[in-house]
Amino acid sequence: MMKTPSATITVDGRPVTIEGERNLLELVRKAGIDLPTFCYHSDLSVYGACRLCLVDVEGRGILGACSTPPEPGLVVRTNTQELREIRKISIELLLANHDRECTSCTRSGSCQLQDIARRLGITTIRYRSIHQPKPVDTSSPALTRDPNKCVLCGDCVRFCDEIQGIGAIDFAYRGHEAAVLPAFGRDLGAGECINCGQCATVCPTGALAPASEIDAVWKAIHDPNTVVVAQIAPAVRVAIGEQFGSDYGLNTTGQVVAAMKRMGFNIVYDTSFTADLTVIEEANEFIARKTKGERLPLFTSCCPGWVKFAEQSFPQLLGNLSSCRSPQQMMGSMVKHTLPAQLGRERKDIVMVSIMPCTAKKFEARRPEFRTAGSPDVDFVLTTQELARMIEESGLALNKLHPASFDMPMGFKTGAGVIFGNSGGVTEAVLRYAVGKITGQNPVDPEFEEIRGEQALRIIRTEVGGLELKLAIVHGLAKAREVMNQILDGSLTVDLVEVMACPGGCIGGAGQPVGRDIAERRRARTESLYNADRLLDLHCSQENHFVNECYQKYLDEPGSRESHRLLHTHYHHRRRAGAEDIALAKAKELGDGVLTVKVCAGTGCFLRNSQAIIQGLMKYVEANDLDDKVQVQASFCFEMCGEGPNVAVGESIISHATLDTVITAIHTELAQMSTGSVQADAC
C-alpha cells in the first residue's frame, strides 16, 4: 500500500509539513524560525495589526503570516532585504513616539518591543517624534496604565473582550490620534474593570502593568516598630523561578522562604494553610445547602476578579456565592486576630503582606469588608513579579539559597491547600473533604482526575457516599457569563460552580512572570502543584492538625458564629462605573427648557445595542435642530440590566428601548414641557 504524500510548503528553502496549523506563522515557527509579532496570541483571534510577521510568498507578494492560511506548495521567504527593511521601519516608527525611558520601565528585560529592536539591530531612530506625553493612569489599585508606551497591538482589547467578556478597554479615535482607552476616556479604576490584569499579561510593552507596592513593603520592613508577616500563595512558588532562569514549573518553596527571611520579613506563612481552612468552611457550607436543597448552585468565592464580576453583572445570584473569604483574607484575619496577643504587640504593629500570583488581590485587600476598626486585615499585596524584583534588589541569587521552612503553625498545609492554585483545585479539595465528612473515611486515592484539564468549562458528575453531585469548573469570565446565563434560564442545573477569572486558575494570574509561551508555562506550573500534592503525606484539609487546633482555640467549629466573624463576608450589588453622566450631544444653552436623555452605556445595555440608540439619537437631534432642546448623555447603569437597553427620557425610564420608542418619548416630553411653559406664562 502506497503512503499518501504529506502536504508541505517550503520555508526559506526547507520543506515543512502541514499538520493542522492555522496559518503560515505557525508553520514558520514550526520550521524553527521565530518571526517577531506583537499582536499574535494563540488564545486570541487573529488581528494582524503589527505587520511584523510579514513574509514573501512566491507569486503573491508580501503577506501577513498570521492571517494567511497554509496551502500545499507555497514557497515562503521570511528574511529578504525588503522584509528586514519593512520591519525596521515599523519598529522605528513605534520607537519614535514611544516613551523610551526603558531603564525605569517595569518591563525592561521582558519587553517585546525592546527585544525586537535589539534583534533587528536598530541603534538609531530616523523619524521625528510627534508624540505629546499623556498622563499615566494610576487610578486602579491593581494596574498602572501608561498610554505613552502603548503600541496599539490590540492584545489587551481582545483579551478583555474575547476571554473575559468585559470590554473595559477598547480603541478610540483614528489615525495618529488612535488610542486604547477605558470607556469614554475615563480612568481604568472608574470603569467595570475586574482587576484580573490579563491585559497586562498579553501587553508586549509596559503600557499595562501590575501596580507596585514594593516601596511601601520595604518601608515596613525597615521600620523597627513593626512585625512584618508574609504569606505565600501556592501558585507563586512554581513560577517565581522563571524570573531567575529556572525551568518552567520548578518548585522553589524553600528558596523563596529563605530569601524573604534574609530580606527582613519576620514571619513567613503559607497561604495553603488558610486554603485548608477555606475548604473546611466552604465544604460544610456546600454540604448543608445540598442536604437542604437551598440556594444551589453554590459558587466558590476565592477569586476576587470573579467576585467583582458577579457583583457587577449578576447581583441576582450573589446569594449563591459562598460567604467564605478567600484564603488570602482568612490569613490576614487570623494573623491580625491571634498574633498581637502572642507577641505582646498591638494590632497596628503587625503588617500583613501577601505574595500573590494575582493583581485582583490588590483590589480585594482594599475592600471595606476586610477592615477591622478601620485597619486592613491585609496591608499590602505583592505579585510574583514584584517579589522577584525585591529579591534582585537585595542581591540574592534565588537558585543558590539553602531552603528554609515556613513558620508554624500557619505554615503547615495539606495537598488540598496546595492544589488551590490550579483551575479545579478548589472543587477537588472540597470533594476530598466531603468524602471524609459523608462516609467517615478519607479517600484512599485522593486524586479526582476527571476534574482536571485545560478546558475553559468542565462539567463533571460524581457520587460521594450515595450523594450524586453535578459540578461545573470554569475559567475565563466570558465562559463564566455563559454558565451564569444558562443557570438563570434553567438550561444548566449543577450543585457547585468553581470560577476562576484567569486561564488555568491562579497559576495563570497576571502577577506571574510573563512570556509569549504562556501556555507552556501554565502547563508546567499546573503539573508542579499536583506533584507537590503527591509529595506531601497529607492530602485532605481535615487532616491538618494545626487547622483543627485553630478551631479549638479560636473558631469553635465550622460555620460557628466566631468562624463567621473571622472567616466569612458578604457581597453587594456594585455599579459597573462611576455615577457621573457624560454629555454627548449637548444643548447650546442649558436651562429649564432642556430635556435630558440618558442612555445606559453599561455592558448589559451595550450588548443589547444601546450604542446604536446613542448614535441614532445624536444624528436625530442634529438633523432636526433639537440641540437647543435635547441633551443626550451616556449614563452608567440604571441597575436594571436584565431589561436593557434602558433609556431615561426626563424622569421616565424606558426599558427594552429602541430608537423609535425613545424618539416618540422625546416628542411627548417636549410637547408636555411646551404646554407647561405656555400655562406658566398665562399665569
Side-chain angles (χ1 to χ4, degrees):
M1 181 177 180
M2 295 183 60
K3 187 175 181 180
T4 303
S6 300
T8 63
I9 68 170
T10 302
V11 178
D12 291 342
R14 297 172 62 89
V16 182
T17 304
I18 302 173
E19 298 176 304
E21 287 79 12
R22 299 173 299 171
N23 49 53
L24 291 184
L25 178 60
E26 292 184 359
L27 281 166
V28 168
R29 288 180 171 170
K30 181 179 178 180
I33 300 169
D34 186 14
L35 274 186
T37 61
F38 282 141
C39 65
Y40 184 76
H41 292 271
S42 58
D43 293 337
L44 304 178
S45 62
V46 173
Y47 188 53
C50 68
R51 311 309 290 169
L52 290 177
C53 68
L54 296 176
V55 293
D56 189 341
V57 180
E58 190 173 279
R60 301 190 184 185
I62 293 176
L63 302 172
C66 68
S67 55
T68 303
E71 297 176 27
L74 291 181
V75 177
V76 178
R77 291 183 293 173
T78 70
N79 195 34
T80 67
Q81 179 64 36
E82 184 180 13
L83 290 172
R84 287 199 303 272
E85 187 60 30
I86 291 173
R87 291 184 190 123
K88 280 190 174 184
I89 290 171
S90 296
I91 295 299
E92 285 183 56
L93 287 170
L94 287 174
L95 289 171
N97 291 299
H98 189 78
D99 180 353
R100 298 197 297 274
E101 294 293 332
C102 296
T103 54
S104 58
C105 179
T106 58
R107 287 296 298 271
S108 183
S110 63
C111 170
Q112 290 184 47
L113 177 60
Q114 193 180 67
D115 179 57
I116 293 172
R118 178 192 58 78
R119 286 172 52 188
L120 296 178
I122 295 174
T123 56
T124 58
I125 312 249
R126 293 173 285 180
Y127 306 102
R128 178 176 59 86
S129 174
I130 59 173
H131 172 68
Q132 294 297 320
K134 299 174 182 176
V136 177
D137 180 0
T138 59
S139 61
S140 167
L143 296 163
T144 297
R145 186 178 66 87
D146 187 346
N148 305 293
K149 298 175 182 176
C150 180
V151 294
L152 300 177
C153 64
D155 294 353
C156 56
V157 172
R158 285 178 294 140
F159 202 106
C160 193
D161 176 48
E162 296 173 14
I163 307 300
Q164 300 298 51
I166 304 296
I169 47 178
D170 207 337
F171 283 101
Y173 313 121
R174 295 181 179 181
H176 75 277
E177 297 291 337
V180 173
L181 300 170
F184 299 101
R186 294 182 169 204
D187 289 338
L188 192 61
E192 60 181 301
C193 169
I194 51 93
N195 305 298
C196 72
Q198 289 297 320
C199 55
T201 296
V202 296
C203 177
T205 64
L208 286 157
S212 177
E213 298 181 63
I214 290 175
D215 289 342
V217 173
W218 276 126
K219 184 177 180 181
I221 288 173
H222 295 316
D223 184 350
N225 297 315
T226 63
V227 177
V228 183
V229 183
Q231 59 170 314
I232 304 175
V236 171
R237 66 203 69 182
V238 296
I240 193 169
E242 297 169 20
Q243 293 286 96
F244 298 89
S246 298
D247 292 340
Y248 296 164
L250 182 67
N251 193 330
T252 58
T253 304
Q255 288 80 7
V256 173
V257 175
M260 295 183 70
K261 291 189 174 181
R262 291 272 295 270
M263 289 158 59
F265 288 90
N266 301 107
I267 300 172
V268 182
Y269 288 143
D270 192 341
T271 311
S272 299
F273 173 87
T274 39
D276 279 334
L277 199 55
T278 302
V279 169
I280 293 174
E281 289 292 323
E282 194 165 275
N284 276 281
E285 183 180 15
F286 171 61
I287 292 170
R289 291 196 190 193
K290 176 63 177 176
T291 302
K292 297 176 182 177
E294 296 178 352
R295 288 186 297 165
L296 291 174
L298 176 71
F299 293 91
T300 61
S301 56
C302 297
C303 173
W306 143 246
V307 169
K308 186 171 186 283
F309 172 75
E311 289 180 318
Q312 291 176 169
S313 300
F314 293 94
Q316 65 271 48
L317 287 175
L318 289 181
N320 291 72
L321 264 69
S322 167
S323 64
C324 291
R325 302 185 184 199
S326 71
Q328 168 181 272
Q329 294 306 140
M330 284 194 183
M331 179 67 80
S333 178
M334 292 305 299
V335 164
K336 294 285 185 84
H337 179 67
T338 62
L339 271 193
Q342 293 177 18
L343 301 178
R345 306 291 290 266
E346 296 183 28
R347 177 185 166 95
K348 65 180 180 62
D349 298 330
I350 309 295
V351 174
M352 183 74 239
V353 180
S354 296
I355 315 298
M356 294 285 143
C358 171
T359 54
K361 290 293 181 183
K362 293 174 179 285
F363 167 80
E364 180 184 56
R366 297 189 185 187
R367 289 183 65 125
E369 296 91 342
F370 301 134
R371 301 179 73 88
T372 302
S375 168
D377 294 332
V378 174
D379 297 282
F380 305 109
V381 178
L382 299 175
T383 62
T384 310
Q385 296 175 34
E386 289 173 89
L387 179 62
R389 287 200 292 274
M390 290 182 70
I391 294 172
E392 291 173 337
E393 282 184 49
S394 302
L396 297 170
L398 183 73
N399 298 333
K400 295 182 181 180
L401 293 176
H402 294 295
S405 299
F406 285 111
D407 292 294
M408 294 295 121
M410 287 186 272
F412 191 82
K413 73 278 189 175
T414 71
V418 171
I419 62 174
F420 253 57
N422 292 331
S423 172
V426 178
T427 302
E428 184 169 345
V430 167
L431 284 181
R432 292 181 186 185
Y433 178 88
V435 169
K437 177 79 172 180
I438 295 172
T439 68
Q441 184 176 356
N442 294 332
V444 176
D445 181 3
E447 297 190 12
F448 289 77
E449 290 287 347
E450 66 274 20
I451 286 176
R452 304 177 183 183
E454 296 183 5
Q455 301 93 333
L457 174 62
R458 308 190 291 281
I459 305 292
I460 295 99
R461 293 180 183 272
T462 189
E463 184 266 335
V464 176
L467 194 64
E468 292 188 3
L469 302 176
K470 188 177 180 182
L471 317 168
I473 297 150
V474 58
H475 59 81
L477 295 181
K479 184 61 69 174
R481 185 187 295 276
E482 294 178 17
V483 171
M484 300 287 272
N485 286 328
Q486 289 171 8
I487 289 171
L488 285 173
D489 67 23
S491 60
L492 177 64
T493 302
V494 289
D495 299 303
L496 176 71
V497 184
E498 176 193 314
V499 186
M500 294 291 175
C502 297
C506 300
I507 50 94
Q512 301 279 61
V514 296
R516 194 180 64 204
D517 48 357
I518 186 62
E520 182 182 350
R521 294 177 186 237
R522 287 199 299 257
R523 291 188 194 102
R525 296 167 188 168
T526 297
E527 187 59 27
S528 186
L529 284 185
Y530 285 132
N531 286 336
D533 168 37
R534 295 179 185 116
L535 290 173
L536 290 169
D537 294 326
L538 305 176
H539 306 283
C540 301
S541 297
Q542 60 268 37
E543 297 174 312
N544 190 327
H545 60 279
F546 281 114
V547 165
N548 296 329
E549 287 182 12
C550 191
Y551 275 106
Q552 293 170 9
K553 290 182 179 179
Y554 307 109
L555 302 170
D556 297 331
E557 62 182 4
S560 69
R561 181 175 181 179
E562 191 64 7
S563 71
H564 265 273
R565 186 177 73 85
L566 293 172
L567 307 179
H568 292 249
T569 187
H570 61 279
Y571 311 103
H572 58 84
H573 188 183
R574 184 184 297 272
R575 288 182 65 92
R576 293 165 182 75
E580 318 91 71
D581 300 312
I582 298 176
L584 300 174
K586 192 170 183 179
K588 293 176 181 177
E589 292 184 9
L590 297 180
D592 292 339
V594 175
L595 175 65
T596 300
V597 179
K598 298 180 180 181
V599 184
C600 180
T603 297
C605 290
F606 182 87
L607 293 173
R608 293 176 174 86
N609 219 23
S610 66
Q611 184 181 29
I613 295 176
I614 291 174
Q615 293 172 341
L617 283 178
M618 292 172 67
K619 291 178 181 178
Y620 185 83
V621 166
E622 181 179 1
N624 291 274
D625 295 323
L626 294 174
D627 55 349
D628 60 340
K629 298 179 181 179
V630 177
Q631 182 190 69
V632 180
Q633 296 180 347
S635 188
F636 291 91
C637 200
F638 295 165
E639 313 300 340
M640 300 165 59
C641 305
E643 302 172 36
N646 295 297
V647 180
V649 179
E651 298 298 320
S652 302
I653 296 180
I654 304 173
S655 296
H656 306 293
T658 65
L659 180 60
D660 290 340
T661 59
V662 174
I663 290 173
T664 299
I666 287 173
H667 285 289
T668 300
E669 287 289 333
L670 289 176
Q672 292 176 351
M673 291 168 62
S674 177
T675 302
S677 176
V678 170
Q679 291 175 347
D681 289 341
C683 293

